[in-house]
Amino acid sequence: MIKKIDHVGIAVKNLDEAIKVWEGLGLKVEEIEEVPDQEVRTAIIHVGESRIELLEPTAEDSPIAKFIAKRGEGIHHIALGVEDIEGHLEKLKEEGYRLIDEKPRIGAGGARIAFVHPKAVTGVLLELCEREE
């Protein structure tokens, strides 16, 4: 079951500068975390039941760095909060969706995540996200 929009991921060149911009809008960064296996540093902003994740690359050849080099800063992905991420991945695979991750991995905040290729979802990089609540 899809529960909600979990978060919107926004690629930024400089996390500290981006935090100033978003906090200037009246929002508050509640946590900062480095996710080494994804080569990213994240700042989490809670907005109601959803979140904004600011994503700063920690390596020049990371996926976020490549995204910024090609497209500039901006929306990188949309994440849907789901129950039973394995079941969702299996169903999407059966229906012919192109998956980046066929099995969940650990993302920011300890969430179990998996990505669906943007070519399968009208040009949008889609993340499935299962959190313990």
Side-chain angles (χ1 to χ4, degrees):
M1 176 174 102
I2 296 174
K3 301 189 303 185
K4 65 180 180 179
I5 294 177
D6 185 82
H7 67 272
V8 175
I10 300 175
V12 302
K13 292 178 185 175
N14 182 300
L15 193 60
D16 295 328
E17 292 299 318
I19 288 170
K20 289 177 191 173
V21 170
W22 286 87
E23 288 188 336
L25 295 170
L27 299 169
K28 184 176 186 322
V29 170
E30 297 189 19
E31 53 193 283
I32 296 175
E33 176 184 0
E34 187 163 336
V35 185
D37 68 316
Q38 294 181 32
E39 299 176 307
V40 69
R41 199 165 68 114
T42 66
I44 308 301
I45 302 167
H46 292 270
V47 183
E49 289 188 5
S50 296
R51 305 163 2 142
I52 295 170
E53 282 188 5
L54 303 176
L55 307 164
E56 175 191 64
T58 58
E60 290 181 19
D61 62 343
S62 72
I64 297 296
K66 290 176 185 175
F67 175 89
I68 291 170
K70 186 173 182 179
R71 295 185 179 88
E73 295 179 294
I75 294 177
H76 178 261
H77 68 271
I78 296 174
L80 298 177
V82 300
E83 293 177 1
D84 184 23
I85 192 169
E86 287 93 350
H88 276 280
L89 289 169
E90 187 174 315
K91 182 179 177 191
L92 291 173
K93 188 174 181 180
E94 287 171 3
E95 292 180 9
Y97 284 84
R98 184 173 168 190
L99 303 176
I100 293 173
D101 300 302
E102 292 195 11
K103 294 183 180 180
R105 53 186 159 126
I106 302 301
R112 299 175 68 220
I113 65 167
F115 286 92
V116 181
H117 199 282
K119 289 185 178 178
V121 192
T122 62
V124 176
L125 179 59
L126 182 67
E127 178 181 343
L128 302 178
C129 182
E130 182 180 74
R131 295 184 188 280
E132 301 231 357
E133 298 191 36

